Amino acid sequence: MRRKFVRGLAVFITSGLLAGCGMVVMDPSGDVAVQQRNLIIASTVLMLLVILPVIALTFLFAWRYRASNTDATYDPEFHHSTQLEVVIWTIPLLIIMALGAMTWISTHTLDPFRPLGRLAPNKPVPADVKPLTVEVVALDWKWLFIYPELGVASLNEMAAPANVPISFRITSSSVWNTFFVPALAGMIYAMPGMETRLNAVMNHEGDFTGLSGMYSGAGFSRMNFGFRSLTQQGFDEWVAKAKAAGEPLNREAYLKLEKPSEAEPVRFFGSVEDGLFTAAVGMCVAPGQMCVQEMHHIDRMGGAAEDSEANRQRLDYDSRRLESGSEPSGATFPASGRAPRSSEEPQGVIPRDQPGQERGTVPPGPGSGPAPAQLNTRPTDGHQH
């Protein structure tokens, strides 16, 4: 009894530590995230209208019609009740209709490509307010933010004035990622060769956290960034700080940033080369690469015929990292410093230090490989294929 008491007391005290955890998704600071939270709550409540009564009635029936209760009605011939059928089918049908209506309305209202119609409840967007455009590039494993109208950029930190609409243009340099600021809005995919959009607004000032919600390699766990919601004056000072950095963000600097790295500190760029984000979307920042848009145009025109081989070489995006001495983003070494594999070979594979044969191969012949003997037999005559 003493051991159970101590164990229960420890669990109770430990649970108190959770009081410091903030449920950002359920307590957001942006109007889009608030609407998404309300949708989650409303959907959950509607579904609980069925779940809770079913759970309660399950225990009630088990207790009411237990074997020892001789007062309960026993009717082995019962097979149908119109009243029960009406209740069983009507309530779920009404809930499904309500969920469908909510889904239809919210899908169009919260479409990330749709410009904002309001800043907050009963507060429409003023006609003279222009959204702040922010171009986002998911790199390995860091975030690049470009402010094309302001001519500055930042790494692993972005800022925006509160109560001002933000228009995000999002892409990725190599693999799929997910742009996610829980306090601002839901997750939006960042995909190489494509551009996605997000329109959102932050209603409260403060420092928030953004992250990648999709695994993208060894440095995924450190792929976070800071989101600063400031007053207009504070945002102007942040932009002035970025301009004072002086370092330009051109194609050469972008290609250096694009190489895999982890835990990069916050950096600012005082100027940005025109068309850099468009080239990042087209995967043609490196010299000599064909942009995705150009490839699409060639396809629409019927192909390039005899020039296809040369075009294929210009479309080979991943090999440039090997040529420059850095592994592709999926590699764990040397990009991250982690060993790519253990020294232990899988069962049935020839040890890598055995001379005379290529590592990982098994000579053909009956019973010579890890597979059953009947699968290692060689054909008696050749096939003309």
Side-chain angles (χ1 to χ4, degrees), residues 18-29 37 182-183:
L18 298 177
C21 298
M23 298 182 62
V24 181
V25 174
M26 303 307 294
D27 186 22
S29 300
R37 178 208 56 190

Side-chain angles (χ1 to χ4, degrees), residues 168-223:
F168 292 97
R169 303 175 63 191
I170 306 169
T171 191
S172 175
S173 65
S174 59
V175 298
W176 279 32
N177 276 285
T178 303
F179 178 78
F180 186 28
V181 183
L184 178 70
M187 294 185 290
I188 301 296
Y189 277 124
M191 298 173 284
M194 299 180 63
E195 177 186 333
T196 51
R197 299 289 184 94
L198 172 64
N199 289 276
V201 62
M202 192 68 82
N203 300 117
H204 302 285
E205 301 168 16
D207 293 333
F208 305 92
T209 300
L211 50 95
S212 173
M214 187 171 189
Y215 182 75
S216 58
F220 161 75
S221 60
R222 296 186 178 185
M223 196 172 173

Side-chain angles (χ1 to χ4, degrees), residues 28-351:
S29 300
D31 183 63
V32 173
V34 168
Q35 296 181 68
Q36 293 172 340
R37 178 208 56 190
N38 295 341
L39 179 62
I40 294 173
I41 294 175
S43 302
T44 303
V45 170
L46 282 174
M47 290 183 285
L48 288 177
L49 292 178
V50 169
I51 295 174
L52 292 181
V54 168
I55 294 175
L57 289 174
T58 300
F59 288 102
L60 177 62
F61 290 165
W63 177 82
R64 170 67 178 171
Y65 298 101
R66 65 192 185 278
S68 60
N69 186 12
T70 58
D71 295 333
T73 303
Y74 177 68
D75 186 4
E77 302 299 327
F78 175 83
H79 61 87
H80 179 74
S81 172
T82 303
Q83 292 83 358
L84 284 177
E85 290 284 350
V86 171
V87 173
I88 290 173
W89 287 103
T90 301
I91 295 178
L93 181 61
L94 293 176
I95 292 176
I96 292 173
M97 292 173 62
L99 287 172
M102 290 173 50
T103 303
W104 175 269
I105 295 173
S106 61
T107 298
H108 291 81
T109 303
L110 300 176
D111 182 358
F113 279 74
R114 180 178 180 176
L116 294 182
R118 72 180 200 184
L119 299 178
N122 302 318
K123 188 178 180 181
V125 178
D128 58 342
V129 172
K130 183 180 180 181
L132 173 67
T133 301
V134 181
E135 298 169 341
V136 184
V137 183
L139 304 172
D140 298 317
W141 289 274
K142 46 200 172 286
W143 293 93
L144 177 64
F145 302 96
I146 301 174
Y147 295 76
E149 298 167 347
L150 304 175
V152 297
S154 60
L155 186 73
N156 281 344
E157 180 181 284
M158 72 157 293
N163 295 310
V164 173
I166 310 173
S167 177
F168 292 97
R169 303 175 63 191
I170 306 169
T171 191
S172 175
S173 65
S174 59
V175 298
W176 279 32
N177 276 285
T178 303
F179 178 78
F180 186 28
V181 183
L184 178 70
M187 294 185 290
I188 301 296
Y189 277 124
M191 298 173 284
M194 299 180 63
E195 177 186 333
T196 51
R197 299 289 184 94
L198 172 64
N199 289 276
V201 62
M202 192 68 82
N203 300 117
H204 302 285
E205 301 168 16
D207 293 333
F208 305 92
T209 300
L211 50 95
S212 173
M214 187 171 189
Y215 182 75
S216 58
F220 161 75
S221 60
R222 296 186 178 185
M223 196 172 173
N224 304 323
F225 64 91
F227 183 100
R228 303 188 62 190
S229 180
L230 308 170
T231 62
Q232 186 61 53
Q233 179 181 356
F235 178 69
D236 293 339
E237 294 174 354
W238 185 89
V239 173
K241 178 182 177 182
K243 286 183 177 293
E247 183 180 356
L249 180 62
N250 49 29
R251 298 197 177 209
E252 182 180 356
Y254 174 88
L255 292 175
K256 293 180 180 179
L257 288 176
E258 193 183 34
K259 295 180 180 180
S261 61
E262 298 181 34
E264 287 283 343
V266 175
R267 294 168 57 184
F268 297 98
F269 302 90
S271 62
V272 181
E273 181 177 331
D274 293 337
L276 181 60
F277 179 78
T278 302
V281 175
M283 304 180 71
C284 54
V285 178
Q289 296 296 127
M290 177 185 290
C291 296
V292 172
Q293 299 89 333
E294 183 180 352
M295 179 186 66
H296 291 170
H297 175 73
I298 293 174
D299 290 342
R300 287 194 298 267
M301 299 302 294
E306 62 272 7
D307 296 330
S308 298
E309 177 60 24
N311 290 340
R312 185 195 65 78
Q313 296 176 1
R314 295 174 60 199
L315 289 168
D316 195 357
Y317 300 108
D318 293 330
S319 62
R320 58 188 171 83
R321 288 188 170 174
L322 291 173
E323 295 169 357
S324 63
S326 61
E327 295 286 343
S329 59
T332 56
F333 184 85
S336 65
R338 300 186 180 95
R341 55 179 295 175
S342 65
S343 58
E344 182 181 356
E345 290 286 355
Q347 183 179 3
V349 176
I350 293 178

Side-chain angles (χ1 to χ4, degrees), residues 1-7:
M1 293 293 295
R2 182 181 303 174
R3 183 180 302 174
K4 291 183 179 179
F5 174 77
V6 172
R7 185 182 302 171

